[in-house]
Amino acid sequence: MPKPSQKNPEVEVFVAPGNPAMADLERVSTVAIFPEEVQRLLAFAVDKQVRCTVVGPEKPLADGLVDAFRAAGLTIFGPTRQAAQLEASKVFAKKSYGSGGC
């Protein structure tokens, strides 16, 4: 399977914060911003004109990263703050599931 950079030579991938091995990948740049730094990530995405963001860790989801990006008109893949609470907060999840046996 070809790498994304082979299909589109203008594609650049940013990972925040990434890990040292990622710097060895073609057209992949690590960014020294931690996932919980929602406003810094948002500013970076706007500045770099990031076309699409995929969120991995649950903490930035629960902190509202998706909500902030969407409010700024950016494309992002992941659940909203409220939806992320199902995974981030076991108390919230248990209350949401009720006594239905889930």
Side-chain angles (χ1 to χ4, degrees):
M1 183 164 139
K3 296 178 187 176
S5 61
Q6 291 172 329
K7 289 182 179 180
N8 184 345
E10 296 182 21
V11 169
E12 185 172 3
V13 176
F14 299 104
V15 291
N19 67 53
M22 291 179 169
D24 295 336
L25 300 172
E26 184 179 340
R27 294 198 176 96
V28 174
S29 300
T30 57
V31 180
I33 303 174
F34 290 99
E36 57 274 359
E37 296 179 278
V38 172
Q39 291 307 310
R40 287 190 65 208
L41 288 167
L42 177 59
F44 178 86
V46 169
D47 181 58
K48 295 293 185 180
Q49 300 178 359
V50 172
R51 290 187 288 174
C52 181
T53 301
V54 178
V55 185
E58 73 182 48
K59 175 98 171 81
L61 296 170
D63 289 344
L65 182 64
V66 170
D67 305 73
F69 273 52
R70 287 184 181 164
L74 299 174
T75 301
I76 186 166
F77 180 79
T80 62
R81 176 190 306 233
Q82 185 176 7
Q85 292 304 309
L86 288 171
E87 179 63 28
S89 170
K90 301 310 174 207
V91 171
F92 179 86
K94 286 179 182 180
K95 286 181 182 177
S96 297
Y97 299 148
S99 59
C102 291

